[in-house]
Amino acid sequence: MSGIDRRSSVRRAIRMACVVCFPSGLTVNGITRNISLDGVEVESNSVSGSSNRLPTPGEPGLLTLKFRHAGSPDSIMVQCQLVHILGNGMGL
């Protein structure tokens, strides 16, 4: 039964600039792959900060979604939790 999505919320393919900050000082700049009411997948090649340690599943963070509203830069900040890291992406 591959190909069946068992998530409780529908995912939407939305590409939006974002930043994820973890308490360790690690900052991840990326682009969203998809967003749902339950989470977001972020792809990134950029990891910077005072820590070389990758975050572990369950670690809290702060996700900032960046967009333009009425022609001006705007953003939304939400608390998040790392679910997984795979290659150049992470699930929150």
Side-chain angles (χ1 to χ4, degrees):
M1 293 219 279
S2 64
I4 296 174
D5 193 350
R6 292 185 166 81
R7 289 182 165 86
S8 61
S9 296
V10 176
R11 291 182 288 173
R12 300 287 182 208
I14 298 175
R15 300 200 46 91
M16 182 181 299
C18 65
V19 178
V20 185
C21 298
F22 294 96
S24 65
L26 179 72
T27 300
V28 178
N29 294 294
I31 302 289
T32 62
R33 287 184 192 159
N34 58 61
I35 297 176
S36 75
L37 290 175
D38 293 329
V40 61
E41 283 199 53
V42 174
E43 60 185 33
S44 175
N45 291 326
S46 167
V47 177
S48 64
S50 60
S51 169
N52 291 332
R53 180 188 68 81
L54 288 177
T56 57
E59 194 165 333
L62 182 65
L63 170 67
T64 303
L65 299 169
K66 299 181 176 187
F67 57 95
R68 297 189 72 75
H69 176 66
S72 299
D74 208 345
S75 63
I76 295 174
M77 296 186 342
V78 294
Q79 298 282 331
C80 64
Q81 184 176 23
L82 181 68
V83 176
H84 61 78
I85 295 179
L86 295 172
N88 68 336
M90 64 175 58
L92 304 171

